[in-house]
Amino acid sequence: MSETYRQFLRASQLPHVWCPGCGNGTIVKAFLQAVEDLKLEQDRVVVVSGIGCSGRTPFVLDFNTMHTTHGRAVAFATGVKLANQGLHVIVIMGDGDASAIGGNHFIHACRRNIDLTALIFNNGIYGLTGGQLAPTTPTGKRSTTSLAGNIEPPFDIVRLALGAGAGFVARTTSFDHKQMTSLIRRAIQYKGFSVVDIMTSCPTYFGRMNDVAEPYDMVHYLRDTTSPMQDCTCRKSEHSCETDHEHEHAEQLAEELGVELSPTGVFREEARTDYGTLYMRKLEAAVAARNGRGGAS
Amino acid sequence: MSTSTKRPQRLIQGNEACAHGALYAGCNFYAGYPITPSSEVMEILSTEMPARGRTFIQMEDEIASISAIIGGAWGGGKALTATSGPGFSLMQEGIGYAAITETPCVIVNCQRWGPSTGQPTKGAQGDVMQAIWGTHGDHPVIVLTASNVRDAFEMTVKAFNFAEEHRVPVILLLDEVLAHMRENIDWPEPGEIPVVDRARPASAKGFKPFENNTFLPFGAGARFHVTGLAHNADGFTVGDEAAARELRRMVGKVQSKVRELAMFDRLRLDDATLGIISYGITSRPAAAAVEILRSEGIRAGLLDLKTLWPFPDHLVREVADRVDRIVVPELNMGQMVREITRSVGGRCEVQPCTRIDGHLLTPAQIVEAAKATLAADGSPGQRPIGCGTCCSERTVHS
C-alpha cells in the first residue's frame, strides 16, 4: 500500500485478520483513495460496520469507527448521521449482513434515502463463520451447509437496492481497482443513500469449496463472471431517468453471449432530496409554527 | 381547594408524562416503532421533537430503533426509544450492545400481558426479570419503574440522568394501566428536577472512550473505535483476564452505586410488623391496603421500590429486620418476590401475592393475602397462601 494512505490506518491494529488472497484489503485501498481524492476531513469520517469479515474493516481505519451487531450497521449509521449531519457516514456490510439478517434495515435505508454510503463486501459466502451458504451464493455453488450445491436462487443486491428505491446503485469488483475506486468516490459524493455492491474474492471458503482455491484464480473468477457496462448516457443529459434499461441491456448482452455475467457499473444515479434535508425543512417549519403560537413548554 | 398561588397542573396520561419528561430531560434523539400500549410516547414526540429542533425518526422495527438510538448517542444525542413486550424482546440485542459499549440511552417498556402478542391492551409486570437479565451475558443495566403519572414524568428524567452519569442503558418499566391512566399532576418547573448531562473529558487529545464515564461523540476532535467485542479502554479487542477485568468494571460501576441509585417511597414502616414491598402500578392498591390493615389494627407498612436494579438489598433488609412478614404483590407469577426472598435471607417470612388476569390487584386482595399470613391473634400464622397459580400452599415458589 502506498505511503499516501498510512495516515488513514491504525498501525496498532495491523496486520489485519483477513486471509491471504482476500479481496477486502483491495477494497479498503480503493475506499481510502476515494477519501483522499475527496479530501474528506478525517475527524468527520465515521465508518460503521456489521459482523463478519467485512465487519473487521473499521478496526484498521483511523476514523471514527463503530463495529456493531450483525445486520444492523445501517440502522446504527442512521442514528449517527441524523444526530450529526455534518459527519460523512460510510456503512460497510457483508452480503449476509445486508441481504440476510439485515435485509429489512437495508431495504428501508434504500427507501428512506438518508445520506449514507453503503459499501457491500460481497463474497457470496459466510467467511468468518467458516464458509456457510449466503443468500448471495450462486445456485449450484457449494458451501459448508450446501455440500451438494445450492438449490436456492441468490439475491442480486443491485436489483434489491433498485427495487427498494435507492437513488444511487452501482456494482463493481475487487478485481477492477480503477472502476471500484471511481464508483466508491461517486457513491460518497452522492447526496442520499448510495449502494455499491462490491464482488470480492474469498479463496479460503468460496474458492476452496468451488474449485477456485488459488487467489490468482479467484481474482480471474471475479473478472470472468462480470462485465463492465457503460454508464447510462441519460445521466449526463437534462432529464433524469431510471437506468434499469442499461441493466436489462447488459443482461441481454450476457444472455446473447451465453455467459452468466454480472454487469458492473452505475445502475442508477438520480438527483433527489435526501431525508436529512427534508427533515431540516420540516423541523424549521415546526420551530417557526411553535414560536408563532407562543411556545409553551 | 385551590388558591391563586397554586402551581400549574395538567391532567395527563402516563405516556404523555413520559414523553414530556424526556423533553424536560433534554432528550434530543428519538427513534422508535409503534406498539401498543406505548405508542402515545412516540406520537407526541413526533411533533414535539421537531418543534424544538430535535431529531425524531420512525424506524422499520424495534431492532432498528434501538440500533438507531445507540448510533444517535455516539453522534452526540440524548437518546430514547419506547416500546412494549414484543418490541422489548427484539431490543435485547441492542441493549447488550449499549451495555458493553457503555452507551447512555433510555429504553421505556410499557409492559403488557403475557409472552408473545399476549394481551396488548392489558397491564402486567411480567417483564421485570427480562429488563434485568434479558440480553445475553453478564452486563450492567439500571431498571426503574413508576407508580403514578407524576412518577412517570420524574422517573423518565431520572432515567436520563442515570444513563448520562453512569454511561449505561437505563430501562424504565411502565405498564399499560399507568401508560393510559390520567392524573392531575404538578407540572415541574424548569430546574425543579435536576438534569444531568454526560461528562466530557478535559481534552479530546488522548481521549480513551472506555476508560471512565467521560464521553465524546464522533466528530468532536478524537478518533476512536467502538465495538461490541470485549475491548480495552481504547476500544480494541482483548481477551482472557483483561476481558474479565473490563466486564467486572462495567458491572461494578452500577452495582457499587446501588445506594445512590436506589429510589423508593416508604409508608408507615416505622412501627410496622407486616411489610408490603411493591413497585410500579401495584404500589397504589398496596398503599390503600396498608390503610385498611391499619384500620383493622394490623400494623402494616409499605416499601415502594422505584429502582428495581441494581437491587436495593439494604432497603429490603431494613424492612425484614423490623417486620414479621413481608407480602410482595405483583402482576406476574412471582418475579421480584424471588429477589426479595433472596435478599431477606430468612430474616422473616415472604409471601407472594400475584394476579395475572390482566387486571390490577385490588386493595382488598392484598389485604386478604396479608391477613392469610396471620393467625387470629395477629401473630405470624400457619396458613400461608401462595401465588394461587404455581404455589398455592407454599410460601415461596420452588
Side-chain angles (χ1 to χ4, degrees):
Chain A
M1 182 167 285
S2 142
E3 282 293 315
T4 321
Y5 310 119
R6 281 203 185 277
Q7 57 179 308
F8 298 136
L9 293 174
R10 289 176 173 140
S12 69
Q13 297 304 305
L14 292 170
H16 56 66
V17 299
W18 296 319
C19 304
C22 173
N24 290 0
T26 320
I27 306 176
V28 168
K29 183 180 179 187
F31 169 57
L32 295 182
Q33 191 174 326
V35 170
E36 170 77 5
D37 292 348
L38 295 169
K39 304 282 177 245
L40 301 185
E41 193 188 332
Q42 196 167 351
D43 277 353
R44 302 196 74 75
V45 174
V46 181
V47 180
V48 183
S49 72
I51 295 292
C53 294
S54 68
R56 297 307 178 104
T57 311
F59 286 72
V60 301
L61 300 181
D62 192 8
F63 300 117
N64 300 280
T65 55
M66 196 169 196
H67 174 231
T68 70
T69 53
H70 197 18
R72 324 298 176 205
V74 74
F76 280 88
T78 295
V80 172
K81 180 69 181 184
L82 293 184
N84 183 350
Q85 292 201 45
L87 299 172
H88 305 287
V89 184
I90 314 299
V91 191
I92 291 178
M93 291 178 277
D95 43 309
D97 249 351
S99 70
I101 189 166
N104 195 31
H105 311 305
F106 178 65
I107 58 173
H108 284 276
C110 290
R111 172 183 68 79
R112 198 175 277 131
N113 196 32
I114 293 175
D115 187 17
L116 302 169
T117 297
L119 305 180
I120 297 167
F121 291 22
N122 184 350
N123 59 9
I125 203 151
Y126 285 102
L128 201 63
T129 47
Q132 296 83 10
L133 185 74
T136 45
T137 306
T139 308
K141 296 294 181 187
R142 295 174 69 240
S143 73
T144 57
T145 50
S146 62
L147 288 174
N150 178 21
I151 57 169
E152 299 181 15
F155 256 141
D156 174 335
I157 287 177
V158 163
R159 286 206 156 270
L160 189 61
L162 289 169
F168 182 102
V169 181
R171 181 189 287 124
T172 186
T173 69
S174 62
F175 158 76
D176 190 343
H177 189 79
K178 196 174 165 191
Q179 184 198 45
M180 179 166 57
T181 308
S182 155
L183 293 183
I184 292 174
R185 195 167 50 225
R186 277 170 65 182
I188 295 173
Q189 282 177 298
Y190 180 78
K191 181 79 169 161
F193 190 72
S194 52
V195 179
V196 188
D197 178 22
I198 308 171
M199 316 292 282
T200 181
S201 54
C202 175
T204 302
Y205 288 111
F206 187 89
R208 279 197 301 167
M209 298 297 293
N210 294 290
D211 303 323
V212 275
E214 287 299 316
Y216 182 79
D217 296 336
M218 186 80 229
V219 172
H220 278 178
Y221 172 88
L222 289 178
R223 181 195 65 184
D224 297 340
T225 54
T226 57
S227 165
M229 63 187 219
Q230 295 300 313
D231 281 1
C232 173
T233 50
C234 304
R235 194 176 60 78
K236 298 177 182 72
S237 68
E238 286 304 307
H239 77 282
S240 68
C241 77
E242 301 266 330
T243 56
D244 289 301
H245 58 274
E246 287 290 334
H247 187 205
E248 299 293 342
H249 176 71
E251 286 194 333
Q252 278 165 14
L253 188 66
E255 205 169 303
E256 281 165 26
L257 292 171
V259 190
E260 285 191 9
L261 295 181
S262 266
T264 65
V266 173
F267 293 77
R268 183 188 289 159
E269 185 175 19
E270 258 183 25
R272 295 178 188 172
T273 311
D274 69 295
Y275 180 99
T277 303
L278 292 171
Y279 187 80
M280 291 312 287
R281 281 183 201 158
K282 172 174 137 177
L283 181 148
E284 281 158 19
V287 168
R290 182 166 183 265
N291 291 340
R293 69 166 196 252
S297 70
Chain B
M1 142 186 168
S2 86
T3 69
S4 59
T5 59
K6 194 174 172 189
R7 42 182 314 179
Q9 289 201 324
R10 285 195 196 174
L11 178 66
I12 60 166
Q13 192 189 59
N15 277 343
E16 280 182 273
C18 175
H20 284 279
L23 293 168
Y24 184 98
C27 168
N28 57 14
F29 191 96
Y30 184 94
Y33 187 77
I35 184 167
T36 301
S38 74
S39 297
E40 291 86 358
V41 176
M42 182 178 196
E43 289 171 345
I44 291 164
L45 293 177
S46 73
T47 54
E48 296 296 335
M49 293 287 273
R52 288 165 173 76
R54 308 180 191 180
T55 303
F56 170 94
I57 185 168
Q58 179 164 333
M59 296 300 289
E60 55 273 13
D61 61 32
E62 288 89 349
I63 302 175
S65 302
I66 183 90
S67 302
I69 70 163
I70 297 167
W74 285 99
K78 272 182 111 166
L80 171 72
T81 190
T83 188
S84 182
F88 191 57
S89 292
L90 289 176
M91 287 185 184
Q92 295 305 326
E93 170 189 309
I95 290 170
Y97 187 87
I100 199 171
T101 57
E102 300 173 73
T103 304
C105 58
V106 177
I107 300 103
V108 173
N109 174 13
C110 293
Q111 297 167 95
R112 63 193 228 186
W113 185 98
S116 189
T117 309
Q119 298 186 79
T121 58
K122 297 289 188 185
Q125 296 179 302
D127 303 352
V128 178
M129 286 298 136
Q130 189 191 21
I132 300 168
W133 298 116
T135 197
H136 54 278
D138 293 305
H139 61 277
V141 71
I142 294 172
V143 181
L144 308 179
T145 188
S147 55
N148 57 58
V149 173
R150 163 75 195 207
D151 248 11
F153 188 112
E154 193 160 337
M155 287 304 125
T156 305
V157 180
K158 298 279 190 196
F160 275 100
N161 289 352
F162 288 164
E164 294 286 308
E165 189 177 347
H166 303 288
R167 275 189 60 180
V168 65
V170 177
I171 293 154
L172 174 60
L173 292 177
L174 304 179
D175 67 87
E176 189 279 332
V177 178
L178 178 56
H180 292 149
M181 180 173 75
R182 287 177 189 276
E183 285 186 302
N184 215 13
I185 69 163
D186 288 339
W187 198 257
E189 301 287 345
E192 182 182 331
I193 307 172
V195 170
V196 178
D197 285 311
R198 61 198 71 166
R200 289 243 180 179
S203 160
K205 199 172 166 59
F207 171 66
K208 289 179 187 291
F210 306 102
E211 188 171 42
N212 52 44
N213 285 344
T214 61
F215 183 96
L216 269 185
F218 292 146
R223 295 190 300 272
F224 54 85
H225 187 57
V226 179
T227 178
L229 288 169
H231 51 263
N232 60 17
D234 289 315
F236 294 113
T237 317
V238 293
D240 303 321
E241 184 48 38
R245 190 170 57 240
E246 287 304 309
L247 185 55
R248 282 191 206 101
R249 178 187 62 75
M250 280 187 269
V251 172
K253 76 176 183 178
V254 169
Q255 292 298 336
S256 66
K257 296 287 187 333
V258 60
R259 283 175 186 266
E260 81 182 61
L261 293 170
M263 291 184 296
F264 58 94
D265 275 337
R266 286 197 188 100
L267 176 69
R268 308 193 74 165
L269 275 170
D270 286 347
D271 63 342
T273 55
L274 188 146
I276 300 175
I277 301 181
S278 63
Y279 55 95
I281 192 73
T282 302
S283 291
R284 300 168 70 96
V290 165
E291 299 308 327
I292 295 169
L293 288 163
R294 288 264 171 183
S295 72
E296 296 178 12
I298 298 164
R299 297 206 305 274
L302 172 68
L303 174 63
D304 171 21
L305 298 177
K306 297 175 190 300
T307 301
L308 301 183
W309 197 262
F311 188 77
D313 283 309
H314 60 293
L315 296 175
V316 170
R317 287 176 188 159
E318 199 178 280
V319 175
D321 283 338
R322 173 173 305 183
V323 302
D324 303 322
R325 244 171 171 58
I326 289 173
V327 177
V328 183
E330 51 187 336
L331 300 177
N332 53 47
M333 292 175 75
Q335 295 195 12
M336 280 307 266
V337 69
R338 294 175 178 231
E339 199 62 32
I340 289 167
T341 303
R342 176 200 59 74
S343 186
V344 165
R347 286 171 176 80
C348 68
E349 292 299 318
V350 179
Q351 293 291 335
C353 171
T354 67
R355 183 164 184 175
I356 56 160
D357 64 354
H359 297 276
L360 297 186
L361 278 159
T362 63
Q365 285 173 315
I366 299 171
V367 165
E368 188 188 347
K371 282 186 182 170
T373 70
L374 300 171
D377 62 356
S379 62
Q382 302 301 311
R383 210 163 45 86
I385 65 152
C387 67
T389 45
C390 70
C391 50
S392 57
E393 293 302 324
R394 297 169 58 94
T395 54
V396 181
H397 305 249
S398 54

